[in-house]
Amino acid sequence: MMKKIALIYMGGTFGCVGEPLAPMPAEKFIPLLQHVLPLQLDIECFVSPVIKDSSACTAEDWLRLTQFIQELQQKQYQNFVIIHGTDTLSYASAVLANCLGHSAHVVLTGSQYPLLNVKGDDTREFTDTIDNLNFALESVVKCAQGVYLAFHHRLIHAQTALKRHTTELDAFTGIEENTPIYANTDAIQVNDALIAKAQDFNCVSLMWQPISVDQQIENLALFLKNPPNALILQGFGTGNIVVNEKLIQVLQNIQAKNCAVIITSQVPFGLLDQRYAVSEWISHAKFLVSNSLSQADLYAKALKMYLKYDAVDQWHDHWKN
């Protein structure tokens, strides 16, 4: 029995035309997109509740997309391909993975070049759109339940995706689908109340720099006046950050204002490791340590914690779940 695929268009370079590139209105683009879809597959096209340049997307937009997918699930759709811009494609993938878990077959894709020529009246002579879209459509009916990113013939676990190059066709890297990972499997039902709450989600990720501890303290002290919901500290190597008691106290003061302080690494892949003396302070300072699979996945996990729990103490109680 042929599996029906819901193809959801959310914008991005894929649907841009003109010079400079600008998005074609969805109602004009979808009929042109349908002309290039493979005839052997049962595909129904949908317009996402939000269409915008992906660099402008926020948690609210991805939650609206998740809600739309969950509404289609209630109509018996179980296979979804999403066309999304590449700038925040890894973040969209991670948010969907954390919200949908293994409740459906979901594959996100995008392109480095548009589908259409400058005038928008024919397909572009050189484009990666058709190749990426066909690969995503083929993958969604074969992959196990979960969320994936399909790009340049690579099917990647969504929570591990990282954009590795600004212009090359092979733009994304991560752990490929044929390698098992420990990933989020539980879904959350997205409703209007959660979407409204997400509008106020404030997450700051601070990449640690090789400057003096005193300068770090001054920088961190700025967050005491208006702390975010989550402060992510990207240390060196396996999460190493050089501190003193004053710096730890500043971080604890920030956390006391209901801000989750999370330690992670600037290094894209690999687990954190606190065997070094320079990281010994983390074990007794009572900060959260990332157990996510990428920076985008850590953002998505922080978002999920914020949506589910109002107090940072609850984040600590459920962080390892």
Side-chain angles (χ1 to χ4, degrees):
M1 183 177 178
M2 186 178 295
K3 296 180 179 180
K4 193 172 187 67
I5 301 170
L7 176 59
I8 303 174
Y9 174 66
M10 200 173 172
T13 299
F14 202 109
C16 284
V17 292
E19 287 181 336
L21 290 174
M24 175 181 280
E27 62 272 15
K28 293 183 178 180
F29 179 71
I30 294 297
L32 298 171
L33 173 63
Q34 289 172 322
H35 285 308
V36 303
L37 297 179
L39 297 176
Q40 74 273 18
L41 297 176
D42 185 7
I43 304 168
E44 186 169 354
C45 293
F46 297 91
V47 177
S48 168
V50 178
I51 293 184
K52 61 171 64 171
D53 187 297
S54 70
S55 62
C57 285
T58 65
E60 179 187 358
D61 303 318
W62 297 315
L63 289 177
R64 290 193 185 280
L65 174 61
T66 302
Q67 184 183 46
F68 185 58
I69 290 171
Q70 290 176 336
E71 289 170 355
L72 290 175
Q73 284 181 285
Q74 294 175 3
K75 299 176 181 178
Q76 306 309 309
Y77 289 91
Q78 281 301 310
N79 301 285
F80 302 90
V81 170
I82 295 108
I83 296 172
H84 191 285
T86 61
D87 281 352
T88 54
L89 182 52
S90 61
Y91 286 89
S93 301
V95 171
L96 261 62
N98 274 270
C99 291
L100 292 171
H102 288 179
S103 66
H105 303 261
V106 182
V107 176
L108 294 94
T109 193
S111 66
Q112 296 284 59
Y113 294 90
L115 172 65
L116 303 173
N117 60 19
V118 173
K119 294 181 179 179
D121 57 6
D122 199 358
T123 54
R124 201 173 187 272
E125 184 175 341
F126 178 79
T127 180
D128 57 336
T129 53
I130 297 175
D131 206 26
N132 284 347
L133 180 57
N134 285 343
F135 177 60
L137 292 167
E138 292 167 4
S139 298
V140 78
V141 295
K142 297 177 182 176
C143 65
Q145 284 185 295
V147 184
Y148 306 89
L149 189 155
F151 216 94
H152 198 63
H153 296 284
R154 300 181 68 186
L155 188 63
I156 298 167
H157 288 288
Q159 291 175 255
T160 73
L162 171 72
K163 190 171 184 183
R164 57 168 289 274
H165 202 281
T166 55
T167 56
E168 284 185 0
L169 298 184
D170 187 11
F172 286 86
T173 189
I175 299 175
E176 300 199 13
E177 176 265 344
N178 55 8
T179 301
I181 62 168
Y182 174 76
N184 175 69
T185 58
D186 63 315
I188 61 171
Q189 193 65 36
V190 175
N191 54 38
D192 291 343
L194 286 184
I195 293 172
K197 186 175 183 180
Q199 294 175 6
D200 295 324
F201 178 55
N202 187 4
C203 179
V204 174
S205 188
L206 183 63
M207 182 180 286
W208 216 250
Q209 298 296 305
I211 60 176
S212 72
V213 175
D214 288 342
Q215 292 289 352
Q216 302 283 18
I217 292 170
E218 289 187 21
N219 292 338
L220 291 169
L222 297 174
F223 292 105
L224 284 168
K225 185 176 180 180
N226 187 27
N229 304 114
L231 176 60
I232 299 171
L233 304 180
Q234 300 179 39
F236 303 109
T238 58
N240 294 327
I241 293 174
V242 176
V243 300
N244 60 21
E245 288 302 319
K246 186 176 179 181
L247 189 145
I248 294 172
Q249 187 60 58
V250 169
L251 289 174
Q252 289 177 331
N253 291 343
I254 294 171
Q255 185 163 261
K257 296 194 172 189
N258 210 34
C259 168
V261 176
I262 308 167
I263 311 299
T264 187
S265 172
Q266 300 170 25
V267 182
F269 300 108
L271 299 175
L272 298 192
D273 186 345
Q274 264 68 64
R275 72 181 185 273
Y276 294 99
V278 72
S279 295
E280 187 179 1
W281 64 277
I282 296 175
S283 61
H284 63 79
K286 297 183 180 179
F287 300 130
L288 296 170
V289 176
S290 174
N291 53 5
S292 299
L293 296 168
S294 67
Q295 290 291 350
D297 187 39
L298 181 54
Y299 164 88
K301 180 170 183 176
L303 170 65
K304 189 174 182 179
M305 288 281 154
Y306 167 78
L307 294 176
K308 293 180 71 174
Y309 309 112
D310 292 327
V312 167
D313 287 347
Q314 294 173 294
W315 289 41
H316 284 262
D317 292 339
H318 298 279
W319 187 254
K320 294 181 180 179
N321 291 356

